[in-house]
Amino acid sequence: MTSLSIQAVIFDMDGVLIDSEPLWQQVEYEVLSALGVPVTIETIQQTTGLRIDQCVDYWYHKAPWPHYDNAKVSQAIVDKVASEILISGEAMLGVHEAIDHCQTLGLKIGLATSSFYTIIEAVLSKLGLSDKFMAVQSAEGLTYGKPHPEVYLNCAKALDVDPRYCLAIEDSFNGLIAARAANMQTLAIPAPEQRGDAKWVIAHHQAENLLALPTLLAQ
Protein backbone atom coordinates (compact mmCIF):
# COMPACT_ATOMS: atom_id res chain seq x y z
CA MET A 1 0.00 0.00 0.00
CA THR A 2 1.20 3.51 -0.75
CA SER A 3 -0.18 6.54 1.03
CA LEU A 4 -1.17 7.92 -2.38
CA SER A 5 -3.50 4.97 -2.98
CA ILE A 6 -5.54 5.72 0.13
CA GLN A 7 -7.80 8.75 0.13
CA ALA A 8 -9.87 7.96 3.22
CA VAL A 9 -9.58 5.97 6.42
CA ILE A 10 -12.83 4.62 7.83
CA PHE A 11 -12.81 3.47 11.42
CA ASP A 12 -15.10 0.98 13.05
CA MET A 13 -15.98 2.14 16.57
CA ASP A 14 -16.44 -0.58 19.19
CA GLY A 15 -13.11 -2.30 19.74
CA VAL A 16 -11.26 0.08 17.40
CA LEU A 17 -11.82 3.54 18.89
CA ILE A 18 -13.00 2.48 22.32
CA ASP A 19 -12.42 -0.56 24.51
CA SER A 20 -16.12 -1.38 24.63
CA GLU A 21 -16.36 -4.95 23.36
CA PRO A 22 -15.96 -6.49 26.85
CA LEU A 23 -18.58 -4.04 28.10
CA TRP A 24 -21.02 -4.99 25.33
CA GLN A 25 -20.43 -8.67 26.06
CA GLN A 26 -21.03 -8.23 29.79
CA VAL A 27 -24.23 -6.21 29.33
CA GLU A 28 -25.57 -8.61 26.70
CA TYR A 29 -24.75 -11.53 29.01
CA GLU A 30 -26.60 -9.92 31.93
CA VAL A 31 -29.70 -8.97 29.93
CA LEU A 32 -29.96 -12.23 27.99
CA SER A 33 -29.27 -14.39 31.03
CA ALA A 34 -32.10 -12.62 32.86
CA LEU A 35 -34.36 -13.69 29.99
CA GLY A 36 -33.30 -17.32 30.45
CA VAL A 37 -30.92 -17.55 27.50
CA PRO A 38 -28.08 -20.01 28.34
CA VAL A 39 -25.23 -17.76 27.19
CA THR A 40 -21.68 -17.32 28.43
CA ILE A 41 -19.23 -14.49 27.79
CA GLU A 42 -17.48 -16.84 25.35
CA THR A 43 -20.59 -17.67 23.32
CA ILE A 44 -21.63 -14.00 23.28
CA GLN A 45 -18.48 -13.35 21.25
CA GLN A 46 -20.12 -15.16 18.31
CA THR A 47 -22.24 -12.08 17.66
CA THR A 48 -19.49 -9.44 17.99
CA GLY A 49 -19.87 -6.85 15.25
CA LEU A 50 -23.56 -7.52 14.62
CA ARG A 51 -26.09 -4.71 15.07
CA ILE A 52 -27.73 -5.12 18.46
CA ASP A 53 -31.20 -5.99 17.12
CA GLN A 54 -29.62 -8.69 14.94
CA CYS A 55 -27.76 -9.97 17.98
CA VAL A 56 -30.97 -10.16 20.04
CA ASP A 57 -32.75 -11.88 17.15
CA TYR A 58 -29.92 -14.40 16.85
CA TRP A 59 -30.17 -15.39 20.51
CA TYR A 60 -33.97 -15.46 20.47
CA HIS A 61 -33.89 -18.06 17.70
CA LYS A 62 -31.28 -20.04 19.63
CA ALA A 63 -33.29 -20.03 22.87
CA PRO A 64 -36.74 -18.37 22.57
CA TRP A 65 -38.19 -16.55 25.56
CA PRO A 66 -41.82 -15.49 26.16
CA HIS A 67 -43.21 -12.05 25.24
CA TYR A 68 -40.46 -11.40 22.68
CA ASP A 69 -39.92 -7.68 22.13
CA ASN A 70 -36.71 -7.12 20.19
CA ALA A 71 -36.85 -3.32 20.37
CA LYS A 72 -37.31 -3.32 24.14
CA VAL A 73 -34.43 -5.72 24.79
CA SER A 74 -32.15 -3.97 22.29
CA GLN A 75 -32.86 -0.58 23.83
CA ALA A 76 -32.19 -1.88 27.34
CA ILE A 77 -28.77 -3.10 26.23
CA VAL A 78 -27.96 0.11 24.33
CA ASP A 79 -28.96 2.37 27.22
CA LYS A 80 -26.85 0.44 29.72
CA VAL A 81 -23.81 0.33 27.42
CA ALA A 82 -24.06 4.06 26.67
CA SER A 83 -24.28 4.84 30.38
CA GLU A 84 -21.25 2.72 31.19
CA ILE A 85 -19.23 4.27 28.34
CA LEU A 86 -19.85 7.77 29.68
CA ILE A 87 -18.69 6.62 33.11
CA SER A 88 -15.65 4.50 32.32
CA GLY A 89 -15.01 4.36 28.56
CA GLU A 90 -11.37 4.51 27.48
CA ALA A 91 -9.77 4.99 24.08
CA MET A 92 -7.97 2.08 22.48
CA LEU A 93 -4.20 2.41 22.25
CA GLY A 94 -3.14 4.74 19.43
CA VAL A 95 -6.54 6.22 18.58
CA HIS A 96 -5.62 9.89 18.87
CA GLU A 97 -2.23 9.38 17.23
CA ALA A 98 -3.83 7.54 14.28
CA ILE A 99 -6.47 10.20 13.70
CA ASP A 100 -3.92 13.01 14.00
CA HIS A 101 -1.71 11.27 11.45
CA CYS A 102 -4.60 10.89 9.01
CA GLN A 103 -5.28 14.60 9.35
CA THR A 104 -1.61 15.42 8.77
CA LEU A 105 -1.69 13.40 5.54
CA GLY A 106 -4.86 15.18 4.43
CA LEU A 107 -6.88 11.97 4.36
CA LYS A 108 -10.63 12.00 4.78
CA ILE A 109 -11.74 10.35 8.02
CA GLY A 110 -14.97 8.42 8.46
CA LEU A 111 -16.74 6.28 11.03
CA ALA A 112 -18.83 3.24 10.07
CA THR A 113 -20.39 1.28 12.90
CA SER A 114 -23.19 -1.14 13.65
CA SER A 115 -23.88 0.73 16.89
CA PHE A 116 -26.88 3.00 17.34
CA TYR A 117 -26.46 6.79 17.36
CA THR A 118 -26.98 6.83 21.15
CA ILE A 119 -23.76 4.83 21.51
CA ILE A 120 -21.92 6.87 18.87
CA GLU A 121 -22.69 10.12 20.65
CA ALA A 122 -21.55 8.67 23.99
CA VAL A 123 -18.27 7.39 22.54
CA LEU A 124 -17.34 10.50 20.58
CA SER A 125 -18.19 12.71 23.54
CA LYS A 126 -16.26 10.59 26.04
CA LEU A 127 -13.16 10.41 23.82
CA GLY A 128 -13.25 14.03 22.65
CA LEU A 129 -13.59 13.00 18.99
CA SER A 130 -16.85 14.70 18.03
CA ASP A 131 -15.18 17.05 15.52
CA LYS A 132 -12.74 14.57 13.98
CA PHE A 133 -14.93 12.68 11.49
CA MET A 134 -16.05 14.06 8.14
CA ALA A 135 -18.72 11.35 7.89
CA VAL A 136 -20.38 9.28 10.62
CA GLN A 137 -22.53 6.38 9.48
CA SER A 138 -24.52 3.96 11.64
CA ALA A 139 -26.25 0.77 10.56
CA GLU A 140 -29.20 1.87 12.72
CA GLY A 141 -32.15 2.20 10.36
CA LEU A 142 -30.56 0.15 7.59
CA THR A 143 -32.19 -3.09 6.46
CA TYR A 144 -29.01 -4.97 7.36
CA GLY A 145 -26.05 -4.23 9.59
CA LYS A 146 -22.58 -5.73 9.28
CA PRO A 147 -21.54 -8.16 7.81
CA HIS A 148 -23.61 -6.49 5.06
CA PRO A 149 -21.43 -3.79 3.42
CA GLU A 150 -24.07 -1.04 3.24
CA VAL A 151 -22.83 1.03 6.18
CA TYR A 152 -19.33 1.09 4.67
CA LEU A 153 -20.63 1.96 1.22
CA ASN A 154 -22.71 4.76 2.73
CA CYS A 155 -19.67 6.14 4.52
CA ALA A 156 -17.55 6.11 1.36
CA LYS A 157 -20.34 7.90 -0.50
CA ALA A 158 -20.65 10.52 2.25
CA LEU A 159 -16.88 11.09 2.04
CA ASP A 160 -17.09 11.21 -1.78
CA VAL A 161 -14.35 8.59 -2.11
CA ASP A 162 -14.42 5.44 -4.24
CA PRO A 163 -14.52 2.45 -1.83
CA ARG A 164 -11.41 1.04 -3.50
CA TYR A 165 -9.41 3.97 -2.10
CA CYS A 166 -10.71 3.60 1.45
CA LEU A 167 -8.92 1.77 4.23
CA ALA A 168 -11.36 0.23 6.71
CA ILE A 169 -10.12 -0.59 10.20
CA GLU A 170 -11.93 -3.42 11.99
CA ASP A 171 -11.61 -5.55 15.10
CA SER A 172 -14.48 -7.98 14.40
CA PHE A 173 -14.73 -10.67 11.76
CA ASN A 174 -18.28 -9.61 10.85
CA GLY A 175 -17.03 -6.08 10.30
CA LEU A 176 -14.09 -7.31 8.25
CA ILE A 177 -16.46 -9.23 5.98
CA ALA A 178 -18.50 -6.05 5.52
CA ALA A 179 -15.45 -3.98 4.59
CA ARG A 180 -14.17 -6.60 2.16
CA ALA A 181 -17.61 -6.87 0.56
CA ALA A 182 -17.56 -3.08 0.12
CA ASN A 183 -14.36 -3.54 -1.90
CA MET A 184 -12.23 -1.61 0.57
CA GLN A 185 -8.68 -2.18 1.70
CA THR A 186 -8.68 -3.51 5.23
CA LEU A 187 -6.70 -3.45 8.45
CA ALA A 188 -7.73 -5.95 11.10
CA ILE A 189 -6.90 -5.33 14.76
CA PRO A 190 -8.24 -8.45 16.48
CA ALA A 191 -8.63 -8.74 20.23
CA PRO A 192 -5.48 -10.31 21.75
CA GLU A 193 -7.17 -13.65 22.39
CA GLN A 194 -8.22 -13.89 18.72
CA ARG A 195 -5.01 -12.86 16.96
CA GLY A 196 -3.93 -16.41 16.22
CA ASP A 197 -7.15 -17.34 14.40
CA ALA A 198 -6.63 -18.27 10.76
CA LYS A 199 -9.79 -16.40 9.71
CA TRP A 200 -8.00 -13.02 9.83
CA VAL A 201 -6.09 -13.99 6.69
CA ILE A 202 -8.85 -12.33 4.65
CA ALA A 203 -7.66 -8.91 5.88
CA HIS A 204 -5.16 -7.08 3.69
CA HIS A 205 -3.20 -6.12 6.81
CA GLN A 206 -3.21 -7.05 10.48
CA ALA A 207 -1.82 -5.18 13.48
CA GLU A 208 -1.92 -5.30 17.27
CA ASN A 209 -3.08 -1.68 17.66
CA LEU A 210 -3.56 1.63 15.86
CA LEU A 211 0.01 2.73 16.51
CA ALA A 212 0.85 0.65 13.40
CA LEU A 213 -1.26 2.84 11.10
CA PRO A 214 1.35 5.52 10.21
CA THR A 215 3.86 2.88 9.12
CA LEU A 216 1.20 1.05 7.14
CA LEU A 217 0.12 4.19 5.30
CA ALA A 218 3.75 4.90 4.40
CA GLN A 219 4.29 1.54 2.69
Side-chain angles (χ1 to χ4, degrees):
M1 180 192 300
T2 65
S3 57
L4 293 177
S5 69
I6 294 296
Q7 299 172 17
V9 177
I10 300 178
F11 294 81
D12 172 48
M13 188 175 72
D14 295 290
V16 172
L17 296 184
I18 190 165
D19 186 19
S20 55
E21 293 295 9
L23 176 57
W24 274 103
Q25 292 163 10
Q26 183 61 37
V27 172
E28 289 170 22
Y29 169 76
E30 292 172 2
V31 172
L32 292 169
S33 293
L35 292 169
V37 182
V39 291
T40 64
I41 293 297
E42 289 71 27
T43 57
I44 283 287
Q45 293 175 5
Q46 297 172 18
T47 54
T48 299
L50 294 183
R51 195 172 61 192
I52 188 58
D53 60 311
Q54 293 178 297
C55 172
V56 171
D57 182 69
Y58 174 90
W59 289 112
Y60 175 72
H61 283 89
K62 284 278 189 179
W65 59 86
H67 313 298
Y68 178 57
D69 186 336
N70 186 300
K72 183 178 180 180
V73 176
S74 296
Q75 195 62 54
I77 293 171
V78 166
D79 289 346
K80 190 167 185 179
V81 170
S83 176
E84 292 294 331
I85 284 171
L86 289 171
I87 294 169
S88 60
E90 295 185 359
M92 298 293 286
L93 180 63
V95 166
H96 295 285
E97 294 89 341
I99 291 175
D100 289 347
H101 188 72
C102 290
Q103 289 181 316
T104 298
L105 294 178
L107 300 175
K108 295 183 177 181
I109 306 173
L111 178 66
T113 174
S114 291
S115 282
F116 287 12
Y117 283 105
T118 300
I119 302 290
I120 296 173
E121 291 169 6
V123 170
L124 297 187
S125 173
K126 182 67 175 180
L127 301 186
L129 297 175
S130 298
D131 62 343
K132 297 295 187 179
F133 295 94
M134 299 174 67
V136 175
Q137 294 291 317
S138 165
E140 181 178 1
L142 300 181
T143 303
Y144 301 105
K146 300 175 184 177
H148 194 283
E150 186 174 8
V151 68
Y152 271 116
L153 294 172
N154 287 350
C155 196
K157 184 176 181 180
L159 292 170
D160 193 28
V161 176
D162 187 306
R164 293 174 297 169
Y165 304 112
C166 295
L167 174 68
I169 304 178
E170 273 288 351
D171 73 304
S172 78
F173 192 62
N174 285 314
L176 181 58
I177 293 171
R180 287 301 310 253
N183 203 26
M184 294 184 177
Q185 299 184 57
T186 53
L187 167 60
I189 305 180
E193 65 274 12
Q194 297 181 26
R195 286 177 191 153
D197 290 358
K199 64 186 181 183
W200 300 107
V201 72
I202 71 167
H204 295 89
H205 308 277
Q206 188 176 159
E208 292 187 2
N209 57 61
L210 282 170
L211 293 175
L213 185 61
T215 300
L216 176 61
L217 290 172
Q219 292 177 0

